[in-house]
Amino acid sequence: MTPMNPAAAGGEREAREDVRTKLLGAWQLVSYTAADADGEVVHPLGRNPYGLILYTPEGYMSAQLGRSDRLSLSTPRLEEATPDELAAAATGYVAYGGPFEVVDAHTVEHHVTTSLFPNWVGRTQVRDVQFAGSFLRLGVSTPTRLWGAERTAELTWNRLV
């Protein structure tokens, strides 16, 4: 077993803390794309999605994303909407939240405790992290089945002041 280099461990800790500090706050969705191995790009929530992702100092995150062309329900009361309306509304929306953990200088894990998609509850969503000025890019490092093909998704966010 190789002994841990204290300077390297300190550097890794500092890098994680730097990413964590940069993540804190509110971010507005700019784009959501997913590309397959052949370079075909799809827009899972349309070309003009909207969304908000929040990271709190207490270690929690929440993401809400939607299609800009979702239709309004026929009624002002959610419980009075038809099953078809509710299905269409849910199909064009992604929502989840829970604790987050910065694993290294390039990776954040979202430990999902609540989600519109029940299968995500109790699971971890791993995201690659990149910062460029006021922009945050969160990507899925391993391809995921989206719209008929294995695709690598990337979401670009802009920091809200």
Side-chain angles (χ1 to χ4, degrees):
M1 179 181 215
T2 306
M4 177 66 104
N5 177 336
E12 287 177 24
R13 190 172 33 256
E14 286 177 19
R16 285 193 313 269
E17 188 56 35
D18 182 54
V19 170
R20 187 181 191 287
T21 299
K22 287 179 181 176
L23 283 173
L24 297 181
W27 302 82
Q28 182 174 7
L29 186 62
V30 174
S31 69
Y32 174 17
T33 60
D36 68 15
D38 295 328
E40 179 193 12
V41 175
V42 297
H43 301 267
L45 292 176
R47 291 192 178 273
N48 298 302
Y50 64 90
L52 184 67
I53 191 166
L54 305 172
Y55 290 94
T56 72
E58 296 79 19
Y60 289 88
M61 61 75 55
S62 178
Q64 311 287 315
L65 302 82
R67 296 184 63 90
S68 60
D69 60 355
R70 287 192 319 149
L71 298 176
S72 295
L73 303 177
S74 62
T75 175
R77 300 189 54 83
L78 184 65
E79 68 272 13
E80 293 173 358
T82 69
D84 287 344
E85 287 178 310
L86 293 173
T91 299
Y93 202 78
V94 177
Y96 72 96
F100 77 93
E101 175 184 5
V102 176
V103 177
D104 60 38
H106 307 287
T107 312
V108 63
E109 293 181 347
H110 300 157
H111 302 287
V112 182
T113 59
T114 185
S115 178
L116 177 66
F117 183 45
N119 298 28
W120 281 11
V121 174
R123 297 204 169 173
T124 299
Q125 296 294 313
V126 179
R127 301 291 182 258
D128 293 337
V129 178
Q130 285 184 307
F131 296 98
S134 66
F135 293 97
L136 163 65
R137 285 192 184 87
L138 295 176
V140 178
S141 57
T142 56
T144 303
R145 190 105 182 127
L146 288 168
W147 306 113
E150 293 294 314
R151 300 182 192 274
T152 303
E154 182 177 277
L155 294 93
T156 301
W157 306 84
N158 188 24
R159 181 178 291 284
L160 293 171
V161 181

